[in-house]
Amino acid sequence: MTYELVWFKRDLRWQDHAALANAAQCGPVRCMYVVEPTLWQQPDAALQHFEFVRESLQALDAELRLQGGRVEVHKGEVSDVLSRIWKEAPFRQLHSHQETGNGFTYARDLQVAGWCRHHGVAWHEYPQFGVVRALKNRNLWQAAWERHMAEPLCHVGELQFWQAGTATTSRLSVDAPSHMQAPAHLQHDPPLRQRGGRQLAMSTLQSFLHTRSMDYRGGISSPLSAPDACSRLSAYLAWGCISMREVVQLSRAQIAQLPPHAHRHRAGLTAFINRLYWHCHFIQKLESEPAIEWHNMHRGYDGLREDEFNQPYFDALKNARTGWPMVDACVTMLRETGWLNFRMRAMLVSVAAYPLWLHWRPVGEWLATQFLDYEPGIHWSQLQMQSGTTGINTTRVYNPIKQAQDHDPQGRFVRQWLPALQKVPDTWIFEPWLMPHALQTRTGVVVGQQIPQPLVELTSATRQAKEKLHRRRQADTVKAGKQSVIEKHASRKKWGNQNTSRRNSAKASPTGTHQLGFDF
């Protein structure tokens, strides 16, 4: 009996799953996930990503088993796996979601397309987000996003599963998700990270829609309030435990049900939906120009930082030893939880890019392994935007001392993640190197011993970095190349369509420089 093959990638759910729903309309389905050795050898892969995928696949597998099916876990490069499956039991068509991933997945998908052509197999790819493949004109993008989000959710319904014969199952090496083994070389699985699976995604969404979203506006900037005020859906969206369309539609439905006086709740959900729009806007940049994973979006900035990379500074940043308490506390939280709110992420990149003058690519590879919600399109676009190499965005420099004063005024966050500073008085908590030596001795916190000295003098190093960037920005060749970046990547979002006030609309830039970012 022939069948439809459904390939799960970063779409680990069974609801609003276009590939599964369309395959089911064509006949019996067979579901697979492929553990790709080369994919997990990429520098942006981490053990936490693998474990989150495994947990999510277990939840998916449990649901499909209730209907008489399962998710087969194969190991190998995808083209090789397809050849083995084809040899044992040919399938009619291949179904999957589109993926805007890293350079490896881009090349791998080209190989899969070649395999399908060679074998005469139709490969149907379905949009995962509001991202348009082969987009011809950015002016058309917003309308396409709205159309995708307004479409009815894909109803999977009752599934008919392909049943393997005895000979097939005896020759093919197939695992269940519960038996997946992480590659031995993978590292970093934060003990306090979120766990995978659709049920956890839905419970997180419901708690946000009904209660936590009331604190979204005003609560997402501080690392103290952000863990609750943010939706915490970013990992579930990145790995596809829940669909973007589901989240948008449920958020809009919740707004429609709110009473007239629920201004704070409505404002929070409206701001959240705007972030979902920007989520896809940034992924579209990588979809339209895959090279921005490696190269400056504006090539006029090539060579700005690449040849001056300071490895000891980078090592200190990764090990939470910069000497700036807010920076080191954020790195520690990220290491332990796999998550950090956007403003603190932007601050980390800013500190790396300006006072430490580190090129964004190595920093981005490290941060990709640290973020459980690593989404390549958002990640590399934001690394470049915060580093000033897009050529179209306002220079953003986050002072880690001011950020601490604004968002952790009593030093609670810093003390939580840097216990060595517990006894440092509030006056010195964000600049402990300024403490009188006698006070350092009395508190048992001697700068240079218990805690490090700052790597550089912050004010002068930042000023010098900005001067270097602005000199490059004023070059005639850099100015000349700006318009092409705007044409290809800048947003055309009409802010008035999202019920924002005239005052807020005026603050938003029509060229995509509005500050939105990594998480939701």
Side-chain angles (χ1 to χ4, degrees):
M1 179 176 65
T2 190
Y3 60 94
E4 307 292 312
L5 184 61
V6 180
W7 173 22
F8 286 88
K9 296 188 280 183
R10 292 176 68 120
D11 50 353
L12 306 178
R13 61 182 183 275
W14 56 90
Q15 296 295 335
D16 195 33
H17 196 287
L20 185 59
N22 282 278
Q25 294 178 3
C26 300
V29 299
R30 182 179 185 181
C31 300
M32 74 165 186
Y33 178 84
V34 182
V35 177
E36 304 167 71
T38 307
L39 173 63
W40 293 104
Q41 290 170 4
Q42 299 305 303
D44 54 0
L47 181 58
Q48 63 170 333
H49 302 149
F50 187 94
E51 292 301 323
F52 192 91
V53 167
R54 183 181 58 79
E55 293 156 4
S56 301
L57 280 170
Q58 284 184 271
L60 171 60
D61 185 62
E63 179 65 23
L64 295 184
R65 285 180 184 274
L66 293 176
Q67 302 187 51
R70 62 169 176 159
V71 179
E72 299 177 3
V73 177
H74 297 258
K75 184 176 181 180
E77 306 308 327
V78 176
S79 294
D80 295 337
V81 169
L82 290 174
S83 293
R84 294 200 299 266
I85 291 175
W86 180 263
K87 182 178 180 180
E88 297 293 341
F91 46 93
R92 271 196 302 252
Q93 301 177 101
L94 177 65
H95 302 261
S96 70
H97 276 110
Q98 295 173 356
E99 181 178 4
T100 306
N102 60 15
F104 170 81
T105 64
Y106 180 81
R108 172 255 277 154
D109 283 354
L110 292 177
Q111 293 174 352
V112 170
W115 185 96
C116 289
R117 287 192 300 271
H118 179 74
H119 290 81
V121 172
W123 181 17
H124 301 284
E125 292 185 276
Y126 308 90
Q128 165 88 325
F129 298 126
V131 175
V132 181
R133 186 151 287 182
L135 180 67
K136 301 298 183 184
N137 189 327
R138 255 289 182 170
N139 294 334
L140 307 175
W141 187 82
Q142 182 182 349
W145 188 90
E146 290 290 353
R147 283 195 302 272
H148 178 79
M149 298 308 159
E151 290 174 356
L153 302 183
C154 293
H155 179 64
V156 175
E158 187 173 347
L159 295 169
Q160 180 185 2
F161 289 93
W162 172 79
Q163 299 298 325
T166 303
T168 301
T169 56
S170 65
R171 286 197 291 266
L172 280 179
S173 177
V174 178
D175 284 330
S178 58
H179 295 149
M180 288 173 62
Q181 295 294 320
H185 70 275
L186 283 181
Q187 298 179 356
H188 188 58
D189 188 19
L192 302 178
R193 68 165 172 83
Q194 290 175 284
R195 264 46 190 176
R198 180 173 172 82
Q199 290 181 335
L200 290 173
M202 292 304 297
S203 64
T204 302
L205 173 60
Q206 291 302 320
S207 71
F208 177 73
L209 292 180
H210 294 291
T211 56
R212 294 187 293 110
S213 53
M214 286 186 281
D215 296 324
Y216 189 80
R217 290 193 65 178
I220 64 174
S221 293
S222 170
L224 291 168
S225 55
D228 289 324
C230 289
S231 76
R232 303 307 305 274
L233 291 170
S234 52
Y236 297 112
L237 286 168
W239 298 102
C241 300
I242 192 169
S243 81
M244 173 66 72
R245 184 163 47 206
E246 285 180 284
V247 176
V248 170
Q249 292 188 11
L250 288 172
S251 298
R252 287 176 170 168
Q254 180 67 19
I255 290 174
Q257 295 173 8
L258 292 175
H261 62 272
H263 303 298
R264 181 180 170 194
H265 201 169
R266 183 175 293 103
L269 287 173
T270 300
F272 172 63
I273 293 173
N274 276 335
R275 290 260 172 161
L276 297 177
Y277 171 96
W278 286 98
H279 166 284
C280 300
H281 162 76
F282 282 111
I283 297 178
Q284 184 68 55
K285 293 174 186 282
L286 186 63
E287 176 68 34
S288 297
E289 189 176 356
I292 65 172
E293 180 183 353
W294 302 286
H295 303 306
N296 293 319
M297 188 177 294
H298 189 316
R299 300 306 299 271
Y301 292 88
D302 287 359
L304 181 65
R305 295 184 179 91
E306 291 90 321
D307 298 331
E308 300 179 46
F309 195 83
N310 189 310
Q311 188 64 43
Y313 286 1
F314 187 33
D315 292 339
L317 176 65
K318 292 188 291 184
N319 293 309
R321 300 287 293 174
T322 69
W324 297 305
M326 194 61 164
V327 173
D328 294 341
C330 286
V331 171
T332 304
M333 177 184 175
L334 184 56
R335 183 176 63 213
E336 296 298 311
T337 69
W339 185 85
L340 194 64
N341 64 312
F342 167 66
R343 180 170 287 270
M344 296 302 107
R345 298 187 191 204
M347 181 195 69
L348 288 184
V349 177
S350 172
V351 167
Y354 292 99
L356 301 185
W357 200 242
L358 299 174
H359 180 46
W360 53 265
R361 175 64 194 182
V363 174
E365 288 180 347
W366 164 62
L367 286 175
T369 67
Q370 301 300 296
F371 295 149
L372 177 62
D373 55 15
Y374 168 56
E375 179 66 66
I378 300 174
H379 186 80
W380 296 112
S381 297
Q382 282 289 331
L383 260 293
Q384 293 218 39
M385 190 170 83
Q386 301 301 334
S387 298
T389 56
T390 66
I392 62 174
N393 298 103
T394 303
T395 303
R396 295 186 179 89
V397 180
Y398 291 78
N399 182 315
I401 300 171
K402 185 178 186 302
Q403 292 300 311
Q405 293 167 342
D406 290 347
H407 301 294
D408 185 31
Q410 283 79 45
R412 288 191 291 135
F413 174 78
V414 164
R415 291 187 176 93
Q416 176 185 357
W417 295 105
L418 300 178
L421 299 182
Q422 287 286 350
K423 296 182 180 180
V424 174
D426 289 356
T427 305
W428 313 102
I429 188 65
F430 303 132
E431 299 175 280
W433 58 90
L434 298 181
M435 277 195 301
H437 186 72
L439 182 57
Q440 293 184 34
T441 303
R442 190 159 62 249
T443 59
V445 181
V446 178
V447 178
Q449 296 181 19
Q450 284 75 27
I451 59 174
Q453 286 275 5
L455 294 173
V456 297
E457 200 286 311
L458 182 64
T459 302
S460 60
T462 301
R463 182 179 64 252
Q464 292 171 16
K466 291 170 69 175
E467 289 172 353
K468 290 180 183 179
L469 181 70
H470 291 156
R471 278 198 302 271
R472 181 66 65 94
R473 181 164 292 182
Q474 294 306 311
D476 291 340
T477 54
V478 173
K479 290 180 178 179
K482 180 177 179 179
Q483 188 58 38
S484 63
V485 180
I486 292 174
E487 290 294 327
K488 192 164 192 174
H489 294 299
S491 171
R492 276 68 158 175
K493 182 165 176 59
K494 299 174 183 177
W495 288 87
N497 291 351
Q498 297 297 325
N499 297 320
T500 55
S501 68
R502 175 179 293 180
R503 182 176 181 182
N504 287 338
S505 296
K507 291 181 180 179
S509 167
T511 59
T513 59
H514 193 73
Q515 181 176 313
L516 294 167
F518 291 95
D519 64 301
F520 312 104

